[in-house]
Amino acid sequence: MAYLVLARKWRPQSFSEVMGQSHVVQALQNAVRQGRVAHAYLFAGARGVGKTSVARILAKALECESGPTETPCNQCPICREITNGSSVDIYEIDGASNRGIDEIRELRENAKYLPAKCRYKIYIIDEVHMLTEPAFNALLKTLEEPPAHVIFIFATTEPHKIPITILSRCQRYDFKRLPASVITGHLKAIIDQEGIKLSAGGLRFIVREAEGSMRDALSLLDRIISYGGDEVGDEEIAAVFGLVDQRLVIEMIVAIFEHNLERSIDLIYQVYTQGQDLKRFYADLVEALRNLVIIKTCRKPGPLINIADDEKEELDRLGQAKSTETIYLYLQLLLQGWEELRRSSQPRLTLEMILMRASLLQDVVPVEKILEKISILASAIKENESPLPVRGQPTAYPPGSDLDSCRYEEKDPEAPFVSGRPEDPEGFLGFVKSKSLPLVSILQQCQRLTVKNDALAIVFADHSLSDLLKDSFYNARLRELCREYYQRDIRIDILSESVAAPGRETAEETGRERTAREEIVKHPLVQEALSILGGHIEEIKIEKGADR
Ligand SMILES: [Zn+2]
């Protein structure tokens, strides 16, 4: 007997065998039972989720000799003919290859005649969105006045391409992608019945690659079986599909988190020399980071991630090292690099560049944490309102402290008053955070952020971050939010430390200034700020013309 591919062999033959589409199945069964059958149906959804299978089952339900019935017998000659595709009254048409007006005209002529054997003539048109405009117009005429013995079932992966005039005459059902658990369960049942041994890693791989399509899952299983026979392990799957060693993916995340560029490049070298596909490695890396974000943010990540328990534990552990914001930023950066890598003729070099950028990213301090510290400081200032002979920042924080990555300068008191919001950087950052998490994550890594005289200046230590912010997408978003917040046009300067104006004053200290400095250091408020933030004084600026 000829080999029948699994997708056909295991095709559902009755409504009860259809998986993951209970909302559609139930409605159709009710319609058949109550005799309220429409003249045109539209089944929309991703490929391989059961649209044409359900169309055939519906045809059987309507035509079965013991029907119409919601449980067709699958035994009578009519049911059997529909199953093996030889019924003279059921027309399965591929919309992609019969898309012209001539084919549809022929169909219209043919539809006028009564069915030969069955109750209805049923036209199942797959990929119906491929029809040409004149073909749709011709079809519309039949849909407007359908003969009583004709039923249309249209299937499509792209319902938005179907003219509204057609859509409005169809009863529409949207098919869902199948959840990983459903595909896993079905595959397990099949490999049991077929007497195949498949490793747990192999099963997960199929489910992940199938992306919710049962047909894709079964085709992959077919390929694996034809290569590896009845017993398939991780190695066979790696050989057929160029599967990446997940160990290397985890190690790469560790290297990125530790800013260990040397290790990152060495890992790329390993992946490369092992002959694994670099783009697949990258895709796995992106997915692992995505899983990390899910694990950190969702209380029940179970159905959202498709990984083994030991992998999950590993990710759990990794996730504790970084804030969600930081991981999110890595994910964002890698997703941006995805397009670069896809187009690159030198994937290894491109991958190295992207990972270099990732290694340079500094950790993100959540805005709440910064704002919390600022408010502590602010209340301390209120309690002790004695004037300070300093302008700008009295304190600086040691490297590694939370506030180090982002310092704000006070508003210049001499700046002309302009309508709209005051020029406060903290308020603006809070606003950006409420609008765009990725953008605020970048801003938080700046060295200085100042708003003065209708100009926003953002200074980064490293040019890769200023480049990222100059990137058209972020830049447009920043301008938009800036305008929205300040209610006016603000100039935006994005600089990296090397080109930014030097912030330190090198003037010789006069005796008077030295005394002022000593007083500042001893000032109780400065001391309190130091104890709250646990820092040390790095620089003191004396305002020109200050008395003390
Ligand atoms: Zn039957």
Side-chain angles (χ1 to χ4, degrees):
M1 193 183 131
Y3 178 71
L4 196 58
V5 294
L6 292 172
R8 283 190 60 196
K9 188 172 174 184
W10 290 87
R11 189 172 208 168
Q13 298 298 344
S14 64
F15 282 125
S16 60
E17 288 172 21
V18 176
M19 257 168 296
Q21 313 293 355
S22 55
H23 59 299
V24 175
V25 166
Q26 206 176 344
L28 292 176
Q29 280 183 308
N30 287 344
V32 173
R33 194 185 321 122
Q34 296 162 1
R36 299 155 68 102
V37 179
H39 278 287
Y41 290 94
L42 176 69
F43 292 170
R47 63 177 200 285
V49 295
K51 298 185 297 296
T52 44
S53 296
V54 171
R56 281 185 177 200
I57 296 169
L58 178 61
K60 277 190 269 189
L62 294 170
E63 311 281 33
C64 177
E65 281 180 0
S66 57
T69 167
E70 56 193 293
T71 50
C73 70
N74 275 319
Q75 301 297 327
C76 69
I78 288 184
C79 279
R80 295 227 299 267
E81 278 175 16
I82 296 176
T83 301
N84 60 36
S86 62
S87 169
V88 289
D89 292 317
I90 312 295
Y91 300 84
E92 283 197 41
I93 299 162
D94 173 22
S97 47
N98 299 283
R99 57 198 299 266
I101 184 157
D102 292 339
E103 284 91 352
I104 299 297
R105 277 201 186 124
E106 198 184 315
L107 181 154
R108 277 176 56 196
E109 280 306 306
N110 176 296
K112 286 178 187 163
Y113 303 103
L114 289 174
K117 282 187 183 174
C118 302
R119 291 184 193 92
Y120 301 97
K121 272 191 168 174
I122 299 181
Y123 294 88
I124 300 172
I125 306 185
D126 201 8
E127 299 302 339
V128 69
H129 62 269
M130 297 293 283
L131 294 191
T132 61
E133 204 185 322
F136 269 127
N137 287 335
L139 189 61
L140 184 61
K141 288 196 180 131
T142 313
L143 286 180
E144 277 167 346
E145 286 170 18
H149 60 270
V150 170
I151 292 172
F152 288 100
I153 305 175
F154 304 128
T156 180
T157 48
E158 298 181 62
H160 56 276
K161 289 187 178 164
I162 300 173
I164 187 80
T165 45
I166 300 277
L167 285 177
S168 67
R169 285 175 173 79
C170 297
Q171 219 173 73
R172 174 172 170 168
Y173 291 96
D174 287 288
F175 284 60
K176 296 176 187 166
R177 282 182 194 278
L178 302 175
S181 57
V182 170
I183 297 187
T184 308
H186 193 51
L187 286 180
K188 274 185 183 161
I190 290 177
I191 55 181
D192 265 4
Q193 296 248 351
E194 300 275 331
I196 299 156
K197 283 192 181 127
L198 177 65
S199 66
L203 193 61
R204 269 200 310 282
F205 167 77
I206 294 178
V207 173
R208 196 175 63 197
E209 290 297 297
E211 292 183 336
S213 162
M214 188 66 87
R215 188 172 60 224
D216 285 6
L218 293 178
S219 308
L220 280 169
L221 186 57
D222 262 328
R223 272 176 71 187
I224 289 173
I225 294 169
S226 63
Y227 178 85
D230 291 346
E231 197 160 339
V232 189
D234 291 350
E235 277 172 30
E236 282 87 358
I237 291 173
V240 183
F241 298 100
L243 209 59
V244 172
D245 182 356
Q246 291 302 306
R247 207 47 256 162
L248 292 177
V249 174
I250 297 284
E251 279 184 40
M252 181 60 92
I253 295 180
V254 174
I256 294 174
F257 279 9
E258 289 174 352
H259 308 284
N260 188 340
L261 185 56
E262 196 185 335
R263 179 82 184 121
S264 299
I265 292 183
D266 179 53
L267 283 166
I268 296 173
Y269 177 73
Q270 282 187 39
V271 174
Y272 184 75
T273 48
Q274 285 176 17
Q276 296 180 2
D277 182 0
L278 286 175
K279 289 176 186 173
R280 175 169 283 284
F281 173 75
Y282 194 76
D284 284 3
L285 186 62
V286 170
E287 176 155 352
L289 280 175
R290 175 252 180 206
N291 287 342
L292 250 180
V293 173
I294 302 260
I295 288 173
K296 277 184 79 86
T297 49
C298 299
R299 250 178 287 167
K300 285 187 179 170
L304 300 172
I305 50 176
N306 171 34
I307 49 174
D309 287 346
D310 53 336
E311 267 178 69
K312 184 175 172 294
E313 272 170 32
E314 189 103 46
L315 287 180
D316 255 339
R317 205 171 43 74
L318 268 179
Q320 282 161 19
K322 299 282 171 185
S323 67
T324 311
E325 285 85 350
T326 304
I327 301 172
Y328 190 85
L329 190 61
Y330 282 123
L331 184 57
Q332 186 82 16
L333 190 134
L334 257 56
L335 280 173
Q336 271 189 336
W338 187 224
E339 192 60 16
E340 257 173 77
L341 185 64
R342 213 172 56 82
R343 291 161 186 259
S344 172
S345 55
Q346 297 195 48
R348 184 177 163 191
L349 182 66
T350 311
L351 187 53
E352 283 174 354
M353 293 296 293
I354 297 169
L355 291 172
M356 264 180 223
R357 244 179 280 158
S359 301
L360 286 171
L361 274 188
Q362 291 181 18
D363 290 1
V364 178
V365 182
V367 177
E368 291 92 357
K369 244 183 168 176
I370 295 175
L371 292 179
E372 193 185 310
K373 296 222 165 178
I374 288 174
S375 76
I376 292 174
L377 195 54
S379 59
I381 291 170
K382 260 187 199 151
E383 277 171 25
N384 189 351
E385 288 253 298
S386 56
L388 273 176
V390 281
R391 169 174 148 194
Q393 278 217 304
T395 56
Y397 313 105
S401 75
D402 283 352
L403 274 168
D404 185 54
S405 52
C406 194
R407 300 173 194 165
Y408 314 121
E409 286 188 7
E410 277 176 16
K411 188 190 164 190
D412 184 350
E414 283 149 31
F417 178 78
V418 246
S419 64
R421 299 231 190 198
E423 301 183 315
D424 63 321
E426 301 93 75
F428 178 61
L429 269 189
F431 175 73
V432 175
K433 179 168 193 238
S434 69
K435 297 283 182 177
S436 166
L437 211 52
L439 187 58
V440 84
S441 307
I442 298 172
L443 290 180
Q444 279 169 354
Q445 299 194 54
C446 72
Q447 293 288 303
R448 285 194 302 279
L449 190 149
T450 51
V451 193
K452 251 181 216 177
N453 304 333
D454 272 3
L456 173 68
I458 308 164
V459 182
F460 290 98
D462 166 60
H463 74 88
S464 72
L465 282 165
S466 55
D467 287 351
L468 190 64
L469 197 58
K470 282 176 191 164
D471 165 277
S472 57
F473 171 77
Y474 287 115
N475 202 275
R477 188 83 178 112
L478 180 63
R479 276 172 205 291
E480 186 187 311
L481 292 179
C482 212
R483 201 173 304 121
E484 198 180 327
Y485 182 76
Y486 289 111
Q487 303 280 305
R488 59 183 186 268
D489 278 322
I490 295 251
R491 200 182 75 232
I492 298 177
D493 299 322
I494 300 164
L495 305 161
S496 59
E497 197 74 85
S498 52
V499 290
R504 284 156 202 262
E505 285 166 11
T506 49
E508 273 185 31
E509 278 193 350
T510 64
R512 200 176 60 148
E513 277 177 1
R514 196 176 304 126
T515 324
R517 276 168 208 280
E518 280 163 11
E519 278 183 32
I520 290 163
V521 174
K522 285 184 207 145
H523 195 284
L525 179 52
V526 174
Q527 290 298 321
E528 190 167 349
L530 288 180
S531 77
I532 291 171
L533 296 159
H536 68 272
I537 297 174
E538 200 172 76
E539 180 191 351
I540 298 171
K541 281 186 194 171
I542 306 290
E543 194 173 2
K544 271 181 199 166
D547 291 336
R548 306 198 308 154

